[in-house]
Amino acid sequence: MADTLIKVDLSQSAYENDMIHNRWHPDIPMVAWVKPGDDFIVECFDWTGGQIKNDDSAADVRDVDLSQVHFLSGPIGVHGAEPGDLLVVELLDIGAFPQQQWGFNGFFSKQNGGGFLTDHFPQAQKSIWDFEGVYTKSRHVPGVRFAGLIHPGLIGCLPSQDLLNTWNAREAELIATDPTRVPGLANPPYAPTAHMGRLAGDARDKAAAEGARTVPPREHGGNCDIKDLSRGSKVYFPVYVKGGGLSLGDLHFSQGDGEITFCGAIEMAGWVHMKVEIIKDGVAKYGIRNPIFKPSPITPTYNDYLIFEGISVDEAGKQHYLDVHVAYRQACLNAIEYLTKFGYSRAQAYAILGTAPVQGHISGVVDVPNACATLFLPTEIFDFDIRPNAKGPTKFLSGDIDIPLAPDL
Ligand code: ZN
């Protein structure tokens, strides 16, 4: 059995574990070193570090401290990795802990985080998803059960100081265009809740003040939330510092394309078994700017879909020019409206789109003025037939079960 390089104790605060960090900074010390060809196991907290509980109240999602996230395991150094190399990471297997066979999905309050459809779902809501081997189902969303496409939402290497400075400068420039916006346009460095791993003293305080937040995906990968980065996939990461400094976390049991609910997929704590290799000078050899990856050879086989189209005309009827964000939102809203005809609440339908192996596609971006986005909803995940027919939809759900909601205080 491979060595477990990083262990987590779910009954302990992530801040007490010095093999965890929640900011990106080149000075965060490696917590372990491995050689090319080694395979090893890394344990991870859920992305909030245990702030969300398995209960029937969404108060914890409403009140979550988002400045604490994401709690990442690492960084792990790889002997021989130098800036300009590619770090090849094979995700051999991923799982939940035997003692914690559940995950959560939530919608953040518009006042605290928001999300893709926050204007339609402005208050905090939460559903709990129980795992049954490779399957999951929720007591808050009846009539649906599916196999998970398990993956780390967040994985990448430490940035160089130059790259970190670039991130902070360009994001500060964006924030300055509308500094009081709710939710914010981006998240600037924030020292009070920074966890800088094993960094200590003045160096720690300097790094905490400028460490990049972990929210967005960036050149190094980071919080990409790509559902297809599942067990069995192989990722090629640019290396920016000696040793690479690989960190990961934010494990998802399953997620729909776009992670539209933002809190997020089916979020879980768990472990990743992985193997590393190096391609010397791979960044220049292959012209890499952002990571590339090969997908898993084992994925849930849902072959039948109902596909919802959306165009770049918004809810108010306003025309937008080739805007795929607007178009995908319309595809999602169209799918939600459709699912309510079978007895789902709008919140339950939204949760299904955020958690199930839903595919999102950019179908057309040239036919001015409308972009066309499509949402592929697998029909086989439902206990009943959701396809249209001449008789019209049958209400399969009585509507007496819904997703807990916590009103803003
Ligand atoms: Zn996540």
Side-chain angles (χ1 to χ4, degrees):
M1 192 62 184
D3 285 345
T4 300
L5 287 190
I6 299 176
K7 287 190 163 67
V8 301
D9 176 353
L10 300 182
S11 66
Q12 187 191 41
S13 164
Y15 285 103
E16 291 167 29
N17 187 328
D18 71 356
M19 300 178 99
I20 303 293
H21 63 101
N22 67 0
R23 300 289 189 268
W24 291 112
H25 196 285
D27 295 345
I28 299 173
M30 307 295 175
V31 298
W33 283 89
V34 296
K35 300 186 302 298
D38 283 354
D39 70 301
F40 51 89
I41 292 167
V42 172
E43 296 181 350
C44 300
F45 286 94
D46 84 78
W47 74 301
T48 70
Q51 292 188 57
I52 310 301
K53 306 300 179 198
N54 184 349
D55 59 24
D56 301 313
S57 163
D60 49 10
V61 171
R62 178 194 61 204
D63 302 334
V64 69
D65 181 353
L66 287 174
S67 77
Q68 293 187 14
V69 301
H70 301 69
F71 289 106
L72 306 179
S73 300
I76 297 162
V78 181
H79 288 295
E82 303 277 351
D85 294 346
L86 286 177
L87 182 63
V88 186
V89 180
E90 196 165 24
L91 302 172
L92 300 173
D93 202 1
I94 306 171
F97 294 118
Q99 72 276 22
Q100 188 146 325
Q101 291 286 314
W102 61 274
F104 60 89
N105 175 265
F107 322 151
F108 290 128
S109 159
K110 189 174 181 182
Q111 303 306 315
N112 184 25
F116 187 55
L117 301 182
T118 195
D119 289 334
H120 300 269
F121 299 90
Q123 297 189 316
Q125 294 193 254
K126 178 177 85 180
S127 56
I128 298 296
W129 294 77
D130 292 306
F131 307 152
E132 297 176 327
V134 300
Y135 295 101
T136 185
K137 61 181 183 160
S138 171
R139 62 181 179 267
H140 301 123
V141 188
V144 67
R145 180 178 187 259
F146 47 85
L149 188 52
I150 197 164
H151 59 276
L154 201 164
I155 181 168
C157 292
L158 292 182
S160 64
Q161 186 71 48
D162 276 355
L163 186 57
L164 174 67
N165 294 345
T166 299
W167 294 350
N168 282 337
R170 74 189 181 197
E171 290 172 26
E173 194 176 305
L174 176 67
I175 292 168
T177 63
D178 190 357
T180 56
R181 184 179 187 267
V182 178
L185 287 169
N187 298 283
Y190 183 69
T193 52
H195 182 0
M196 306 307 288
R198 291 180 177 170
L199 202 54
D202 290 347
R204 185 232 167 254
D205 295 345
K206 172 189 170 283
E210 66 180 19
R213 302 285 293 278
T214 58
V215 179
R218 298 189 181 93
E219 288 85 341
H220 68 149
N223 194 25
C224 289
D225 292 313
I226 301 170
K227 74 179 192 330
D228 304 285
L229 203 63
S230 188
R231 60 198 172 128
S233 61
K234 190 185 256 194
V235 201
Y236 302 79
F237 290 106
V239 171
Y240 309 99
V241 301
K242 199 174 164 53
L246 179 70
S247 294
L248 67 153
D250 186 23
L251 303 186
H252 297 160
F253 189 85
S254 179
Q255 182 207 294
D257 281 341
E259 203 193 21
I260 59 173
T261 47
F262 188 24
C263 176
I266 296 175
E267 304 290 338
M268 60 174 238
W271 54 268
V272 180
H273 182 188
M274 61 180 91
K275 180 175 177 174
V276 292
E277 301 278 358
I278 294 169
I279 298 178
K280 295 304 293 179
D281 298 319
V283 168
K285 276 179 186 163
Y286 289 101
I288 301 295
R289 193 162 63 116
N290 297 72
I292 58 175
F293 71 98
K294 279 164 51 61
S296 169
I298 41 167
T299 54
T301 51
Y302 293 114
N303 295 319
D304 187 54
Y305 291 89
L306 202 55
I307 300 174
F308 294 86
E309 300 181 7
I311 57 171
S312 51
V313 175
D314 70 19
E315 295 90 313
K318 182 176 177 347
Q319 179 72 60
H320 295 257
Y321 178 72
L322 297 181
D323 188 327
V324 293
H325 191 269
V326 171
Y328 193 51
R329 193 169 75 231
Q330 304 318 308
C332 293
L333 290 169
N334 290 343
I336 289 169
E337 181 66 22
Y338 184 91
L339 286 173
T340 63
K341 305 302 181 192
F342 297 86
Y344 282 119
S345 69
R346 293 181 68 77
Q348 287 171 326
Y350 186 26
I352 291 169
L353 302 187
T355 57
V358 163
Q359 294 182 28
H361 292 246
I362 298 169
S363 297
V365 286
V366 293
D367 300 312
V368 295
N370 281 331
C372 178
T374 41
L375 181 141
F376 289 44
L377 181 64
T379 60
E380 297 147 293
I381 66 173
F382 295 93
D383 293 347
F384 47 87
D385 190 353
I386 65 155
R387 292 170 301 179
N389 62 57
K391 283 183 293 194
T394 307
K395 278 214 174 191
F396 283 88
L397 300 161
S398 60
D400 54 357
I401 300 172
D402 201 358
I403 295 181
L405 180 148
D408 287 331
L409 295 173

